[in-house]
Amino acid sequence: LEFRIYTANRNEVEPIAPKTPDYAAWKMSTELLRDVLARRVSELSLSPAGQSVNISYLIDGMSVPQPARRRDEGELVMKFMKLLADLDTNEVRKPQKGKFTIRKDNTDIKYEVRTAGSTAGEQMTIVREEANQRKNLSDLGLTTDQIVQLQSLRDLRKGLFIVSGPRNTGVTTTFYSLLRQHDAFLNSIMTIERRPAAELNQIIQNVYSLSDTGTASYAQKIQQVLRNDPDIFGVGDCSDEQTALLLIKAAASKLAYVTVESPSVVHALGRWLKWAGAEKDSLLDVLAGMSCQTLLRDLCDECKEAYEPTKELLK
């Protein structure tokens, strides 16, 4: 292989000899991973459907269906991926999550394996983490004016900045980039997230897991983290009044970033004003700014071709 695979326990996966029981699973899985690497796939999905398993790639934010596999082949691949991520291969109903690493050209690329049960069978999603880890504001395709405005947040010691956008439009990547622009050696930076998309160096990431729901709400978990008195605080996803009020109060003494799913800044502001209720004035006092984003496809300079659009398309 032109790359090496390491399990969640950092054990290297050795090639498997032909005509052995595990060879078929190893061969199909490594061929799939080779294709994923070559085509810059950020997310791989495997979903059972009758006697087959559907496969889909996410490339540059666009879902690209792939040829389906036979059910038995797909299940062999999923079992192999679960072994890499140190997951329970016998558990096919409860959600599981684990990681493995591919080393290619002396670079480690981390993948997170997520499984979930369904009426059709176990589903699996494999997400490449590297894409979210290293992006700075200058890597997001922003204008110079936008970068200057967002970089000015580094000088603030308190306030609330809301990062909004529709689902799957890079909101978390922007959220991470904003946190990363602060010096983690001079500031105590913490986050609370339901599902971290990547590891942030020198930033303490707290996870609100399913096991917490019986003992604490999302807002209560945030309150627990705030007792550590971070200088900068990030909240991945605000969707309720209790969380919003807590953040408005916290932003009076520290800098807080929060993500919100919303189609526009106006819509996001409306949601926050509704959550704030009688505390609207407090919200406006601490609000440092808001952003809303969507993804635009940047065509390759070598591949793109000009064409004349039809009147119907322009309309």
Side-chain angles (χ1 to χ4, degrees):
L1 283 174
E2 64 275 18
F3 56 87
R4 295 179 178 180
I5 305 173
Y6 294 87
T7 68
N9 299 317
R10 299 300 298 171
N11 296 319
E12 184 175 353
V13 178
E14 299 292 341
I16 296 177
K19 298 182 180 179
T20 56
D22 297 325
Y23 177 72
W26 177 84
K27 185 174 186 295
M28 287 187 293
S29 299
T30 52
E31 286 176 350
L32 184 61
L33 290 174
R34 182 185 290 110
D35 195 41
V36 163
L37 285 168
R39 298 174 64 183
R40 299 179 299 103
V41 176
S42 59
E43 186 171 306
L44 162 67
S45 298
L46 299 100
S47 305
Q51 296 304 310
S52 62
V53 171
N54 294 329
I55 299 176
S56 178
Y57 291 169
L58 192 68
I59 304 175
D60 295 336
M62 179 177 287
S63 180
V64 184
Q66 303 300 303
R69 292 271 192 172
R70 293 201 322 259
R71 182 71 176 248
D72 59 333
E73 292 179 339
E75 289 179 347
L76 279 177
V77 170
M78 286 193 280
K79 183 177 181 180
F80 185 84
M81 298 297 182
K82 290 172 77 172
L83 289 171
L84 295 182
D86 194 28
L87 303 181
D88 184 353
T89 57
N90 295 318
E91 178 58 70
V92 295
R93 294 186 178 183
K94 294 181 180 179
Q96 296 188 80
K97 185 165 60 175
K99 297 180 181 181
F100 69 90
T101 303
I102 290 179
R103 180 169 295 169
K104 180 176 171 60
D105 300 328
N106 294 320
T107 299
D108 284 355
I109 306 171
K110 295 183 179 180
Y111 288 89
E112 183 175 77
V113 180
R114 304 170 187 166
T115 68
S118 73
T119 54
E122 186 177 37
Q123 300 177 335
M124 177 175 286
T125 304
I126 302 174
V127 181
R128 176 171 173 156
E129 293 189 347
E130 184 269 341
N132 282 323
Q133 284 183 337
R134 301 174 184 172
K135 285 189 181 296
N136 297 315
L137 289 175
S138 57
D139 300 321
L140 303 183
L142 301 169
T143 66
T144 301
D145 288 344
Q146 289 169 337
I147 293 174
V148 170
Q149 290 182 65
L150 292 174
Q151 285 179 338
S152 68
L153 296 170
R154 290 180 300 191
D155 301 325
L156 299 182
R157 291 294 174 263
K158 61 182 180 179
L160 176 69
F161 190 85
I162 301 170
V163 187
S164 68
R167 187 183 295 273
N168 296 325
T169 58
V171 170
T172 301
T173 299
T174 301
F175 173 63
Y176 284 172
S177 298
L178 288 167
L179 290 170
R180 197 181 286 107
Q181 73 171 339
H182 295 277
D183 192 327
F185 291 100
L186 298 178
N187 299 281
S188 170
I189 308 176
M190 297 183 181
T191 69
I192 176 73
E193 305 167 72
R194 287 187 170 90
R195 180 181 287 176
E199 295 178 6
L200 299 173
N201 292 333
Q202 308 302 325
I203 293 176
I204 299 174
Q205 293 173 274
N206 298 276
V207 181
Y208 182 70
S209 63
L210 292 173
S211 61
D212 293 321
T213 56
T215 57
S217 66
Y218 195 48
Q220 289 171 326
K221 187 73 172 181
I222 291 172
Q223 205 158 24
Q224 292 174 14
V225 178
L226 284 171
R227 291 195 186 105
N228 295 301
D229 196 27
D231 300 310
I232 299 165
F233 188 55
V235 176
D237 182 34
C238 176
S239 57
D240 65 89
E241 178 183 336
Q242 189 181 12
T243 301
L245 290 173
L246 185 60
L247 286 173
I248 292 170
K249 183 179 179 180
S253 60
K254 56 182 87 278
L255 183 58
Y257 294 97
V258 58
T259 67
V260 179
E261 185 179 340
S262 179
S264 70
V265 164
V266 174
H267 181 270
L269 180 58
R271 293 185 72 185
W272 272 82
L273 288 171
K274 182 178 179 181
W275 288 330
E279 299 297 324
K280 288 181 181 178
D281 290 341
S282 298
L283 168 62
L284 298 178
D285 286 341
V286 301
L287 189 60
M290 302 179 70
S291 68
C292 189
Q293 65 190 62
T294 188
L295 292 178
L296 296 177
R297 182 166 294 277
D298 189 11
L299 300 180
C300 174
D301 289 333
E302 301 296 328
C303 305
K304 64 185 179 183
E305 299 178 4
Y307 76 102
E308 188 73 25
T310 63
K311 291 182 179 180
E312 291 74 16
L313 179 59
L314 289 174
K315 183 179 180 180

